[in-house]
Amino acid sequence: MDSSNEERTPLIGILAVQGGVIEHQRTLERLGVRSRLVRRPAHLDGVDGLILPGGESTTMSKLLELGGLLEPLTAKIHNGTPTFGTCAGMILLASEVKGTRPDAHCLSALDITVRRNAFGRQVDSFETDLDFKGISQPVHAVFIRAPWVESVGDDTEVLARVPADDDKGAIVAVRSGHGRGNVLATSFHPEVTDDDRVHDYFVSMVEESMA
C-alpha cells in the first residue's frame, strides 16, 4: 500500500487493556483496515474509530481508571469518534448496567440498559443466526457469557434480536441515532467467526464520519 492510500484508509484503535483484542485486529487486517492497540491516552491521538472488545467488563473498567484512560476515552467517544463495542464493550458503552459491581464505570455513550451475563455463564454459551438490519443475509452470532439490552432510549435503534417464537427476542445489537449515530454495539462476538460483515458495517460508519 502506498502512502497516499494509507492516508485515506481509516485507522481504528482497539482498546487493549484486557479481553479479546487480537481477533478484532485480525478481522480488520482481512478488511484491509489499519489498526492500533490502545493502552495509553496517547494512543487515542489520530484514530478515526474505536473498538471496545469483549472481556471482563468490571476488570476493563478498573484498568481504564488505573491507566488514566477512562476520561480521555469517554471524551473521545462523546466527541463523535465512531465506536464499536462487543459483549463487554457493549456493557462499557451503556448508560445503565444491571448485575455489575457498584464501583464499575460505564461510558454512557449509548442510551441503553444492559444486563451482564444475561444469557448465563460460560457453559451457557451458544450460537445462532440473526437478522441484522443493514446486512442483507443473516449473521452467524457467537454468544459467550453475553449481556442483553433490557431497554433502549428514543435515540437508539435496535439492529438485531435473538430469534424468538413471538418475534420479540432479546435485543443483542444496537446503534445510536437511528442509523445515523456513531456508536454500535453487539452482545455477540463477530470477531471470532469468519464473517467480517459486522466489522465492515462499522468500517463504513468510520468512513462516513471521515467524509
Side-chain angles (χ1 to χ4, degrees), residues 10 14 31 41 46 55 63 67 89 91 96 107 129 137 148 157 163 178 181-182 186 189 192-194 206:
I14 305 170
L31 292 172
L63 291 172
I91 295 169
E96 182 181 1
L107 308 183
D129 291 329
Q137 298 296 320
W148 67 39
E157 181 176 21
H178 289 284
N182 282 342
T186 63
H189 293 270
V192 302
T193 73
D194 293 330
V206 176

Side-chain angles (χ1 to χ4, degrees), residues 16-109:
V17 296
Q18 194 266 343
V21 175
I22 190 65
E23 294 86 356
H24 285 287
Q25 192 173 36
R26 287 171 177 166
T27 302
L28 293 177
E29 286 176 0
R30 290 197 298 268
L31 292 172
V33 176
R34 297 179 298 148
S35 65
R36 174 194 294 164
L37 301 186
V38 175
R39 296 190 175 97
R40 299 192 300 274
H43 297 158
L44 294 169
D45 294 343
V47 298
D48 303 301
L50 289 163
I51 291 178
L52 278 54
E56 211 294 312
S57 60
T58 55
T59 300
M60 293 170 73
S61 168
K62 179 57 68 176
L63 291 172
L64 286 174
E65 182 179 18
L66 292 174
L69 259 172
L70 182 63
E71 291 185 3
L73 177 65
T74 302
K76 185 82 172 175
I77 296 170
H78 281 267
N79 285 338
T81 301
T83 304
F84 175 26
T86 62
C87 198
M90 169 186 269
I91 295 169
L92 286 172
L93 291 170
S95 55
E96 182 181 1
V97 182
K98 294 184 177 180
T100 193
R101 290 171 35 157
D103 60 345
H105 300 285
C106 52
L107 308 183
S108 298

